[in-house]
Amino acid sequence: MEKAQLRIWVSLMSTRTSESFIDSNLDYDVVVIGAGISGLYQLYCLREAGFRACILERGTGVGGTWYWNRYPGARFDSESYSYAYSFSEELLEEWNWSEHFASQPEILRYLEYVADKFNLFKDIRFSCEVTKAQYMEEETCWQLILANGSTVSARILITALGILSEPTFPNIEGINSFSGESFHTGLWPKTPVTFEGKNVAVIGTGASGVQTIQEIAHEVRNLTVFQRRPNWCAPLNNSDIDVDEMNEIKANYKDMFAICSESHGGFIWTVDPRGTFEVTAAERVSFWEYLYASRGMSIWQGNFKDVLSDPVANKELSDFMANKIRQRIHDPEVAELLIPKDHGFGTRRVPLETKYYETYNQPNVDLIDLNRSPIRAISPKGVITSEGEYKVDTIIYATGFNAITGSFDRIDIRGASGQALKEEWSSHLETFLSVQVPDYPNLLMINGPQGLGGNHPRNIEYSVEWVTSLLEHMKSRNLRRVEPSISAVQTWSEHVRAKSGSALANKIDSWMTGINTNVPGKDKRVVGFRYGGSVQSYRLFCDSVAKGGYKEMIFS
C-alpha cells in the first residue's frame, strides 16, 4: 500500500461517520485565492453549485493580471473576443469590444462588469494577502493566515494565482539607491505616471518591455533601452471594431469558440496542415507575407505544421523574420542587435508589436546591448554599465516574472506532513493534471505547474469546470478529503514529459521552461514545467479521469 493511501486509510478509520463535506464550524466550504479571470469564474461556478465560497484577493480590486499590469501600452495579444468568457450568452451579447486587441483599461472594465453583473463582489475580500496556508489533518481543512494576522478556515483551498503574477527585479547592485522614479511593469501604480521631457531607461525587451517602449518613445525626452536578450516580435496589426463588425463577431461566437477548442493552443488560429518544404519557395514566402500582414498570433499559431518542431523549417522562418527586422530599421547595426541569435522564431512566447522596430529609428532612442556592455550597478543618478553611466530621471524594470511557481512560493503552503510546497517543488516538481499535489490534500490549482499554456481563458474555463465537478462529486458523497495517488502522479508526469518531447521551445531557456536568472535555483530547464501537448490531449486525459470516477484520486 502506498504511503499516501495508508495515511488516508488510518484517517478514515478514525473519522466520525457523522462528519461530512459541509461543516458549519468552518468559515467556508471553499476559499479561492485570487480575483483574476480564474478566480472570478471559479467563484461563479462554486456559487452556482451551492457551495459557501469566497475569494481572498491581495489587491483592492478584481482583475488579477489586468489589475496589476497598468503599464503604458499593456493590452491583449489574443483577440479580445477570443479571450472573453464564453459561459454566458447574455454576457457575450451585452459586451462590445472597441478593439481587436483591447488595452488594459478596457480589459479591467470588462472584468469589473463581469463581477458586478454576477454579483461576485459580495463574496470577495479585498486587501487580504494570504501569507500562510496550513492543512489541518485532524479537522480535514485548510487554515489560512492573512497578512493582518487574521485566519480563515475552509474545507477546500483553490489557488487562482496566475502563471505570471510574481514580478522579479534584476540582481543589480544598488537597485534601491536610485533617487528618481522607478517602476516594475507588473507593479504599476494606479496614479498617472508622466514621461514628458524626461530621460527614461527601460531594462528588458520582453513582451511588457516591447509594449512600454513603443508607447512612451514619442513622449520622453530621451529613451535608453537596455537589452540583454532580443526577442522575435511580430506585428499586432490591431484596429478598431465598429458596430457592424461587433455584431458579426457576436453572430459567430459559437463557431469561434469551437475553433478555439479544436486548435492546438486554444487560439482562433489553427496550424496549417502543410509542411514548410511541401510548397515551393515562392509559395512559402507568399504565405508568410500573408501571415505577417494578418492580425495577432497568426504567424506564430497559424503557420506550417513543422515550424515549431523542425529546426530546418524553423531556421527558414527565422530568416524571413530577420529580414523583416532589417527592412524596418535604418541602422544595420541596430537591426542586428534586435535579431535573436540564440533561439528561433516562436520557440519563446512572441511579443506582438505596433511599430516597435521603427521606434529605434527615432533620434531620441538608444539601444544598449548588455552582452557587450553589462550593467554594473544602479546609481542614485542612473544606470552604470561597463562603458559608463547613463543619467536618467526614471527607470522602468520590464524584467518579467517568477513564472508559474513564483506565485505559490510567496505563500508558505504546508501540506499534511508539514513540508513547505516551495521546498517540495525545489527538488521534485510533479502534479496530477496540474490540479493537485500529493501530500497536499484538498488543495486544488487552476493552471498550476504542468498545465496548459496558450489562450489562458479557454483553458481556465475548462479547468474551473473540471474542478467544480470534482467538488460536486465529493459533496454528493460526503467525501471530505482528496489527493492524488502517487502512481497517478507518476503516470501524469510521464505523459507530460512525452508530450513535451518534440517542441523546439523545450530546448530553449525561457520562463516557459522554468528559467529565471533573477531567482535562485531557477537556472536549469525543467522538462514538463508546462504541458507541451495540445488542448485536446490535455482535456482527453482529464475527461478520462472524471468519466472513470476519479479512481486515480484517493478520497476519504
Side-chain angles (χ1 to χ4, degrees), residues 86-94:
S86 67
F87 69 89
S88 167
E89 290 187 11
E90 189 176 275
L91 175 63
L92 289 169
E93 185 61 33
E94 288 175 355

Side-chain angles (χ1 to χ4, degrees), residues 267-314:
F267 298 102
I268 64 173
W269 299 96
T270 55
V271 175
D272 192 286
R274 299 171 296 173
T276 302
F277 301 106
E278 292 176 8
V279 301
T280 66
E283 290 173 324
R284 189 159 55 244
V285 171
S286 176
F287 180 54
W288 284 339
E289 290 285 0
Y290 163 76
L291 293 179
Y292 195 81
S294 300
R295 281 197 297 264
M297 295 185 180
S298 51
I299 199 164
W300 184 28
Q301 295 294 318
N303 219 305
F304 295 117
K305 65 182 181 180
D306 54 356
V307 293
L308 299 181
S309 58
D310 178 8
V312 179
N314 187 264

Side-chain angles (χ1 to χ4, degrees), residues 42 49 51 463-477 546 550:
Q42 184 65 78
F51 292 99
S463 295
V464 165
E465 290 163 9
W466 194 95
V467 163
T468 304
S469 294
L470 171 64
L471 294 183
E472 289 178 308
H473 173 86
M474 292 179 66
K475 182 182 177 184
S476 68
R477 292 161 176 79
Y550 307 100

Side-chain angles (χ1 to χ4, degrees), residues 470 473 477 543-553 555:
L470 171 64
H473 173 86
R477 292 161 176 79
D543 287 346
S544 68
V545 172
K547 290 176 181 177
Y550 307 100
K551 63 181 181 294
E552 295 86 352
M553 309 177 87
F555 298 93

Side-chain angles (χ1 to χ4, degrees), residues 50-251:
F51 292 99
R52 295 181 304 133
C54 85
I55 291 176
L56 301 179
E57 166 58 48
R58 60 175 171 164
T60 60
V62 300
T65 293
W66 304 106
Y67 170 88
W68 297 103
N69 288 265
R70 301 165 180 267
Y71 62 85
R75 65 175 61 247
F76 281 151
D77 59 6
S78 298
E79 285 76 4
S80 305
Y81 29 89
S82 77
Y83 205 91
Y85 290 116
S86 67
F87 69 89
S88 167
E89 290 187 11
E90 189 176 275
L91 175 63
L92 289 169
E93 185 61 33
E94 288 175 355
W95 187 264
N96 297 310
W97 293 101
S98 67
E99 297 177 273
H100 285 279
F101 302 91
S103 64
Q104 181 272 337
E106 182 175 4
I107 301 164
L108 187 57
R109 287 196 301 273
Y110 169 73
L111 294 173
E112 290 170 340
Y113 180 86
V114 171
D116 184 60
K117 176 179 176 61
F118 298 104
N119 197 24
L120 300 179
F121 281 111
K122 74 181 183 68
D123 292 317
I124 304 175
R125 294 171 58 177
F126 294 110
S127 301
C128 286
E129 181 172 5
V130 178
T131 58
K132 184 174 183 177
Q134 173 70 62
Y135 182 72
M136 312 299 287
E137 185 74 82
E138 186 174 346
E139 295 86 355
T140 324
C141 72
W142 281 91
Q143 184 178 73
L144 311 179
I145 300 176
L146 309 184
N148 63 9
S150 62
T151 61
V152 177
S153 61
R155 177 75 69 218
I156 301 292
L157 173 61
I158 298 178
T159 58
L161 300 172
I163 65 171
L164 297 172
S165 60
E166 188 62 19
T168 56
F169 286 84
N171 297 317
I172 302 174
E173 181 182 345
I175 197 168
N176 295 319
S177 68
F178 183 60
S179 60
E181 293 182 314
S182 62
F183 309 97
H184 191 290
T185 52
L187 294 170
W188 205 263
K190 292 182 180 180
T191 54
V193 178
T194 59
F195 300 101
E196 187 175 357
K198 294 181 179 179
N199 296 320
V200 179
V202 175
I203 300 176
T205 53
S208 60
V210 167
Q211 290 182 330
T212 301
I213 290 164
Q214 66 190 21
E215 185 74 12
I216 70 172
H218 295 281
E219 182 181 351
V220 302
R221 178 183 179 185
N222 183 265
L223 178 62
T224 306
V225 177
F226 294 88
Q227 173 184 269
R228 181 175 62 88
R229 188 181 190 184
N231 280 287
W232 296 102
C233 302
L236 181 66
N237 293 321
N238 191 20
S239 60
D240 294 338
I241 301 175
D242 61 25
V243 174
D244 291 339
E245 188 174 16
M246 191 67 236
N247 287 336
E248 183 179 355
I249 290 169
K250 289 179 179 180

Side-chain angles (χ1 to χ4, degrees), residues 320-332:
F320 172 86
M321 296 299 292
N323 285 331
K324 285 294 184 183
I325 296 172
R326 294 184 182 104
Q327 291 168 12
R328 294 172 59 181
I329 294 179
H330 299 158
D331 188 333

